[in-house]
Amino acid sequence: MSNQLKIKLSIANRVYPLTINPSQEEGLRKAAKKIEAMIGQFEQSYSVRDKQDVLAMCALQFAAQVEQKSIDKEYVNEEVQEKLEALNELLQSHI
């Protein structure tokens, strides 16, 4: 536990104290900055008064990005698999 790092992140005008592994610090700070930037975009684009609504919209946006990357990765994996099978058949026909 001695290698734990105590940091404070500010999101939506609230401070969150965290105890983390030092290797997590950069990712958490970048994530907090992205959330803050997204909050600013939502507040500028929409007349949202409640921070909870803005945070819910941010959560939805991030979750959708993760899901889309997963879907895209599945598609790429299927495409690669098909190409490998076609290449294997071609090689087998020449052996």
Side-chain angles (χ1 to χ4, degrees):
M1 290 285 264
S2 63
N3 63 345
Q4 296 290 300
L5 181 63
K6 293 185 180 198
I7 65 170
K8 292 181 181 179
L9 295 178
S10 177
I11 301 173
N13 299 325
R14 286 195 180 180
V15 176
Y16 296 92
L18 300 170
T19 302
I20 60 167
N21 289 322
S23 62
Q24 296 176 298
E25 182 180 12
E26 182 180 4
L28 286 168
R29 292 198 185 277
K30 283 183 177 182
K33 282 184 181 181
K34 283 184 178 182
I35 292 168
E36 284 294 320
M38 194 176 289
I39 287 170
Q41 289 175 345
F42 281 129
E43 287 179 335
Q44 187 176 8
S45 300
Y46 306 102
S47 60
V48 182
R49 293 186 196 128
D50 188 358
K51 288 284 187 189
Q52 176 118 10
D53 291 338
V54 176
L55 288 171
M57 291 165 53
C58 289
L60 178 61
Q61 185 83 4
F62 281 118
Q65 289 172 2
V66 169
E67 290 303 318
Q68 189 60 50
K69 283 182 183 180
S70 177
I71 290 167
D72 293 345
K73 185 177 177 183
E74 282 181 36
Y75 175 75
V76 168
N77 285 343
E78 288 174 12
E79 190 176 323
V80 168
Q81 182 66 33
E82 289 172 4
K83 287 181 180 181
L84 286 173
E85 288 172 2
L87 184 59
N88 190 36
E89 288 176 19
L90 183 63
L91 287 171
Q92 289 297 328
S93 69
H94 283 60
I95 293 181

